[in-house]
């Protein structure tokens, strides 16, 4: 269920859950898909331990840099991953939010459920919903290439 302050997205990927989990924890894979359409991943630095920091940047089509960061709050590889999410700009409309991912094994496929909380408005939630949906569109082809 999605409320004004929550976003839930579910995707099924034709890849084992260990690989889908790794798309979120391997900096090289992460920068290959992060960002909505028109954006590309630039940098990522992850300390994937409970309490460990993560930071990533993406570039928009005009070369503008958009940074994000947070801390891992839960790691249960390959079933569950949770972290805080903050935009790296003072004028960001979203303060710290919480992202929780679950990865269900569907016999060689993976159901990924993405849940983000902490939105101040429906508009913020909707903007993130569009951005994450477009980013997730990039994961399937990336995983297919990684399996080959």
């Amino acid at each position: 269920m999605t409320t004004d302050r929550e976003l839930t997205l579910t995707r099924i990927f034709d890849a084992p859950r260990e690989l889908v989990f790794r798309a979120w924890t391997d900096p090289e894979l992460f920068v290959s898909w992060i960002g909505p359409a028109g954006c590309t991943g630039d940098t990522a630095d992850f300390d994937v331990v409970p309490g460990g920091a993560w930071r990533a940047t993406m570039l928009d089509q005009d070369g503008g840099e958009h940074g994000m960061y947070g801390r891992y709050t839960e790691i249960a590889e390959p079933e569950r991953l949770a972290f805080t999410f903050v935009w790296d700009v003072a004028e960001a409309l979203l303060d710290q939010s919480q992202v929780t991912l679950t990865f269900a094994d569907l016999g060689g496929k993976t159901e990924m459920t993405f849940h983000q909380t902490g939105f101040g408005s429906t508009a913020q939630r909707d903007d993130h919903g569009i951005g994450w949906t477009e980013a997730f569109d990039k994961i399937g082809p990336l995983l297919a290439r990684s399996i080959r």
Side-chain angles (χ1 to χ4, degrees):
M1 180 171 150
T2 299
T3 69
D4 283 355
R5 298 187 186 268
E6 298 181 15
L7 172 67
T8 301
L9 302 169
T10 301
R11 285 289 182 99
I12 295 177
F13 296 107
D14 191 10
R17 73 179 173 167
E18 292 80 10
L19 182 56
V20 180
F21 185 94
R22 200 166 59 109
W24 285 91
T25 58
D26 179 314
E28 186 177 327
L29 287 176
F30 188 79
V31 298
S32 298
W33 65 265
I34 191 61
C39 290
T40 57
D42 185 40
T43 65
D45 183 31
F46 300 156
D47 183 15
V48 188
V49 297
W54 71 272
R55 177 175 293 279
T57 58
M58 61 184 174
L59 303 174
D60 62 31
Q61 56 267 44
D62 299 323
E65 185 176 277
H66 304 273
M68 61 202 95
Y69 66 94
R71 294 209 169 270
Y72 293 101
T73 57
E74 183 181 355
I75 301 163
E77 187 174 353
E79 297 92 14
R80 190 173 166 91
L81 181 67
F83 54 88
T84 59
F85 179 100
V86 183
W87 284 113
D88 198 9
V89 292
E91 56 280 342
L93 298 176
L94 176 65
D95 292 328
Q96 179 172 297
S97 64
Q98 178 72 33
V99 172
T100 303
L101 295 143
T102 56
F103 306 91
D105 183 357
L106 302 179
K109 293 184 178 190
T110 302
E111 180 182 75
M112 179 189 80
T113 302
F114 172 95
H115 186 75
Q116 187 174 13
T117 62
F119 298 104
S121 71
T122 303
Q124 288 175 0
R125 183 206 60 209
D126 292 349
D127 285 348
H128 272 247
I130 292 166
W132 285 116
T133 296
E134 291 178 357
F136 297 165
D137 289 344
K138 299 176 188 177
I139 295 177
L142 168 70
L143 296 176
R145 287 192 305 274
S146 296
I147 292 171
R148 288 185 203 142

